[in-house]
């Protein structure tokens, strides 16, 4: 079953800390988003394997944009 991981905040993708195929665990830090001049760590909401990453570094995202798909 796939899970679409949504951005919790609007901002700019500063760093993607995982790659497609990586196994992750709930609460692992996976992305850093700059919002309101602060770097915010974004943590995985569930455990699984990264199936797809839909953003790249320096992309602007809105709240609820899909960041990645976890299987």
């Amino acid at each position: 079953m796939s899970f679409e991981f949504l951005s919790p905040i609007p901002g700019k993708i500063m760093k993607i800390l995982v790659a497609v195929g990586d196994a992750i665990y709930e609460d692992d830090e996976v992305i850093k988003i700059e919002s309101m001049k602060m770097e915010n760590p974004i943590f995985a909401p569930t455990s699984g394997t990264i199936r797809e990453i839909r953003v790249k570094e320096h992309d602007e995202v809105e709240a609820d944009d899909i960041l990645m798909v976890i299987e």
Side-chain angles (χ1 to χ4, degrees):
M1 184 166 114
S2 295
F3 177 83
E4 291 182 336
F5 178 20
L6 307 179
S7 179
I9 57 174
K12 182 178 182 180
I13 304 294
M14 297 303 297
K15 185 80 175 159
I16 299 173
L17 304 171
V18 294
V20 172
D22 285 356
I24 59 168
Y25 297 95
E26 186 174 354
D27 295 328
D28 282 355
E29 186 177 355
V30 293
I31 290 182
K32 290 187 186 285
I33 295 179
E34 181 184 315
S35 182
M36 296 174 48
K37 299 186 182 187
M38 292 177 51
E39 195 171 282
N40 300 280
I42 306 300
F43 300 96
T46 187
S47 298
T49 302
I50 304 296
R51 186 176 115 204
E52 185 180 344
I53 298 175
R54 296 203 181 163
V55 294
K56 58 187 182 302
E57 292 181 6
H58 308 292
D59 280 358
E60 295 284 338
V61 295
E62 296 296 325
D64 297 329
D65 282 355
I66 299 171
L67 299 175
M68 58 185 64
V69 178
I70 301 170
E71 227 172 34

